[in-house]
């Protein structure tokens, strides 16, 4: 079966958010276990032991597959990796994050 048949990338990303990311990332600015996704796209984040990074496609991809690579300052390294996400799912997450203002 194709779980995402007929869905736009942003809808795929929203489904993934609701199924996994929602446990630790808010959409409304509230700090949870992980940084909020509110206004995250293009935001500069201070990284533990490094300079600031910009939240872009490359950063999101790396953070999903290897979340401990660049930790946002003030957060524990507790995010599990999601290497099983397909390219379609990764693009969905990226497109969804672009819409969270």
């Amino acid at each position: 079966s194709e779980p995402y048949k007929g869905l736009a990338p942003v809808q795929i990303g929203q489904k993934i958010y609701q199924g996994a990311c929602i446990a630790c990332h808010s959409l409304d600015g509230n700090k949870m276990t992980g940084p909020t996704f509110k206004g995250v796209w293009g935001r500069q984040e201070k990284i533990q032991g490094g300079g600031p990074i910009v939240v872009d496609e490359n950063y999101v991809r790396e953070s999903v597959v290897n979340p401990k690579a660049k930790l946002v300052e003030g957060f524990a390294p507790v995010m599990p990796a999601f290497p099983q996400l397909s390219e379609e799912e990764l693009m969905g997450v990226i497109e969804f994050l672009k819409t969270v203002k």
Side-chain angles (χ1 to χ4, degrees):
S1 78
E2 296 180 54
Y4 306 120
K5 190 169 176 61
L7 292 181
V10 69
Q11 294 170 307
I12 295 170
Q14 188 169 23
K15 275 186 169 297
I16 293 165
Y17 172 79
Q18 290 167 341
C21 321
I22 195 170
C24 298
H25 298 277
S26 76
L27 298 180
D28 62 5
N30 283 329
K31 183 175 176 177
M32 296 173 64
T33 304
T36 183
F37 285 166
K38 181 177 181 170
V40 73
W41 194 259
R43 185 166 73 207
Q44 278 208 344
E45 293 282 21
K46 180 118 179 64
I47 298 301
Q48 293 177 26
I53 58 90
V54 173
V55 178
D56 61 8
E57 185 172 325
N58 290 331
Y59 176 72
V60 171
R61 284 175 177 278
E62 181 179 50
S63 295
V64 167
V65 177
N66 182 10
K68 293 172 182 63
K70 293 188 177 88
L71 285 172
V72 174
E73 206 164 71
F75 292 93
V78 294
M79 180 170 154
F82 292 94
Q84 72 276 21
L85 287 186
S86 68
E87 178 60 21
E88 179 184 37
E89 290 168 322
L90 272 172
M91 284 309 297
V93 169
I94 287 164
E95 291 306 314
F96 175 68
L97 291 178
K98 290 178 181 178
T99 70
V100 184
K101 303 296 185 205

